Amino acid sequence: MSDKKEHIVILTSEFPPLPGGIGNHACNLAENLTVSGYRVSVIADQRADSNQEVIFDKSLKSKIYRVKKVSIRSLMYLKRIWLSFKLSKSADVLICSGKFPLWIGAVLKPIIKAKVIAVIHGTEVNFSNQNLKKSISISLQRFDKVIAVSNYTKNLVSHLKLKNTMVIPNGFEISNFSSSAASIINLKGSPSLLTVGNLTERKGQAKVIEYLPSLIKKYPDLHYHCVGLKTEIDKYRRLCDNLGVSKYVTFHGHVGVEKLHDFYRSSDIFVMLSQNTASGDIEGFGIALIEANYFRLPTIGSRNCGIEDAINHQNSGLLVDSSKIKEFENAIFQILNNLPHYKVKAKIWAEKHQWSQIIKRYISFIKS
C-alpha cells in the first residue's frame, strides 16, 4: 500500500473493451495501482458506439473518463487536452501512454505540479516521418521519467540520452485467466500453429503464410489459426489463394476472452513473426506470447523487435530471424521434439509477468 492515497491520472490512446496492446496495458496499470492504494483516473477516447464501454467502465475499480466520439476529430483532441489539464491540476502523477498523450504530457508539464511520466511501447517513438519523430523526441525530453516496455523500445530513444528511464515489461492479469472454464477445442492441424493479433503486416501472419508451402511438405497435416480483428482479411485471403494454402489456414476473427483461452489450451505452438514496417510500426513487446505461455503453450517469435523481451529463448520458446525460413522450420522441429521442457518453462516464465509482480516495479519507479 502507498503511504497516502495519491492521485494518479493515466492518459492513454487506447482502452478496452476493444482490443489493443496499449489499452490492455493502461487498464491493468490503472486497476493494479488502484488495488495498491492509489486513486486513479483514466482519460481515454470513446471507441465503440454501443453501451459496451459504459458496462465495462462500471466494472472497474478506477475512474474512467471517456472523451465522447464526435465526427469532428479536432474537437475530441481539444476535449482530451482540457480534461487532462483539469484532472492533472489536482493529481500527484500524470502517466501518458500512446502518441497523442505524449504530446499532451509535454505541453502540460510546465503548467501543472504533477510528476509527468511517459510509457513508450514502440511505434510512437519510431515514426518514419521525421517531423513526427522529432516532435515525439522533443516531448520525451520534457518528461520527468520514461518507462519503456522492452529493451528494444528503450534502445529506440537511446540517442536522446534521457536521464531517468527504466524498462518494465508488460504483464498479464492472472485473475482474468483463473476465472475461465477449462476446456479444449478440437482445432485442425497436427501441429496446429496459432497467432493472436490484429490481421496486419506488423503481426507477421503474412510471413507465416508465405512459409506454409515449405512447411506442409514436412507437416502435411499442419494448420495455421489466426485469431484477431480481420483488418486486412481480403489481402490475406488473396495471399493464401495465390500460394495454394487456403485449406491450411483459418481466420477466426476477434473472439471473447474465454474462447481465446481455449485457443491457447488447444494449440501446439504460438507463433508471432512480427515485422517492422516501412512506416515505423513495430512490435514493442507482444503480451500475447506471455498469455500463451501461461497455458503452457511454447512460442516462436521474431528477433529485432520487442518480442526479444517476451520470450525466454530456449525455455519459454525460441527467437528466430523471421526472414529465414530454415530458422522457423528448425524452431518448430525443436519445440515439437522437446515439448515437455518448453511447456514447463513457458508456465514459469509467464508467472514472472503477473501484474501483481509488475506493479511493484511501477510503484517503486513512480515513488523514486
Side-chain angles (χ1 to χ4, degrees):
M1 295 291 288
S2 58
D3 297 329
K4 63 176 183 177
K5 203 157 192 177
E6 297 178 0
H7 184 202
I8 296 179
V9 175
I10 299 176
L11 175 60
T12 177
S13 59
E14 293 179 357
F15 204 72
L18 292 186
I22 291 177
N24 177 281
H25 173 275
C27 184
N28 283 304
L29 177 60
E31 291 297 276
N32 280 274
L33 284 172
T34 302
V35 170
S36 299
Y38 291 89
R39 180 164 68 92
V40 180
S41 302
V42 178
I43 303 170
D45 283 352
Q46 177 190 4
R47 299 170 70 198
D49 295 319
S50 65
N51 66 348
Q52 184 182 8
E53 287 181 341
V54 175
I55 296 171
F56 179 81
D57 292 351
K58 287 182 178 179
S59 71
L60 302 178
K61 299 177 180 67
S62 47
K63 175 67 176 176
I64 314 302
Y65 295 84
R66 296 276 184 177
V67 177
K68 188 176 180 180
K69 183 187 294 185
V70 294
S71 57
I72 303 175
R73 192 71 179 174
S74 58
L75 293 179
M76 294 181 68
Y77 294 150
L78 292 173
K79 177 67 180 296
R80 220 186 319 176
I81 294 171
W82 167 246
L83 192 54
S84 301
F85 172 67
K86 182 180 177 182
L87 292 178
S88 297
K89 284 198 303 180
S90 62
D92 298 285
V93 179
L94 171 63
I95 298 177
C96 301
S97 180
K99 179 182 68 176
F100 195 74
L102 293 181
W103 289 331
I104 295 178
V107 170
L108 293 182
K109 177 65 175 73
I111 58 177
I112 61 175
K113 294 181 180 180
K115 184 187 300 182
V116 185
I117 300 175
V119 178
I120 55 175
H121 300 268
T123 299
E124 74 276 28
V125 294
N126 195 50
F127 290 111
S128 59
N129 182 300
Q130 291 305 305
N131 289 328
L132 282 176
K133 194 168 187 175
K134 185 177 181 180
S135 71
I136 291 294
S137 296
I138 293 172
S139 296
L140 285 175
Q141 289 170 328
R142 294 186 178 183
F143 280 79
D144 294 305
K145 299 181 178 183
V146 176
I147 296 170
V149 301
S150 66
N151 284 287
Y152 181 82
T153 300
K154 182 182 178 182
N155 288 337
L156 291 175
V157 297
S158 60
H159 63 287
L160 300 179
K161 301 187 184 303
L162 302 171
K163 293 181 179 179
N164 209 346
T165 305
M166 175 173 279
V167 174
I168 304 178
N170 279 349
F172 76 98
E173 185 52 60
I174 194 169
S175 62
N176 295 336
F177 288 51
S178 301
S179 61
S180 299
S183 61
I184 303 294
I185 53 180
N186 186 22
L187 289 182
K188 289 182 182 179
S190 179
S192 57
L193 307 183
L194 171 68
T195 296
V196 175
N198 198 359
L199 200 59
T200 58
E201 180 183 359
R202 173 163 67 93
K203 291 299 181 181
Q205 294 95 334
K207 183 60 67 173
V208 179
I209 292 170
E210 288 172 10
Y211 291 160
L212 287 181
S214 177
L215 289 172
I216 292 164
K217 293 177 182 178
K218 294 186 176 182
Y219 304 101
D221 296 322
L222 178 148
H223 200 89
Y224 181 39
H225 298 270
C226 298
V227 172
L229 294 175
K230 297 181 179 182
T231 305
E232 299 179 11
I233 184 64
D234 293 338
K235 170 184 173 181
Y236 286 89
R237 281 178 173 157
R238 285 196 300 270
L239 177 62
C240 289
D241 289 341
N242 291 338
L243 293 173
V245 296
S246 294
K247 69 177 183 179
Y248 297 95
V249 183
T250 301
F251 300 105
H252 297 273
H254 176 63
V255 300
V257 173
E258 291 193 6
K259 185 71 171 179
L260 175 59
H261 295 174
D262 291 341
F263 273 98
Y264 286 142
R265 292 187 186 95
S266 309
S267 303
D268 293 313
I269 303 175
F270 185 98
V271 299
M272 190 175 282
L273 300 187
S274 293
Q275 306 295 298
N276 297 342
T277 72
S279 66
D281 196 11
I282 62 170
E283 196 69 50
F285 184 78
I287 191 60
L289 294 133
I290 301 295
E291 293 178 351
N293 284 162
Y294 178 75
F295 293 96
R296 303 181 187 276
L297 181 60
T299 56
I300 299 174
S302 298
R303 295 187 183 275
N304 194 35
C305 65
I307 286 176
E308 291 181 343
D309 278 21
I311 291 180
N312 185 3
H313 185 58
Q314 295 186 336
N315 288 295
S316 71
L318 292 169
L319 291 165
V320 299
D321 181 338
S322 63
S323 67
K324 297 180 179 179
I325 186 172
K326 287 299 180 183
E327 284 197 20
F328 185 48
E329 290 179 348
N330 289 339
I332 292 174
F333 178 82
Q334 184 174 330
I335 288 175
L336 292 177
N337 283 274
N338 296 276
L339 269 177
H341 164 81
Y342 283 100
K343 284 179 176 290
V344 170
K345 296 295 184 180
K347 181 75 170 189
I348 294 172
W349 179 244
E351 296 284 2
K352 294 179 180 179
H353 290 80
Q354 295 180 49
W355 264 106
S356 60
Q357 301 301 315
I358 299 298
I359 199 63
K360 295 175 184 177
R361 298 169 66 175
Y362 268 88
I363 292 172
S364 177
F365 191 56
I366 289 171
K367 294 175 69 174
S368 64

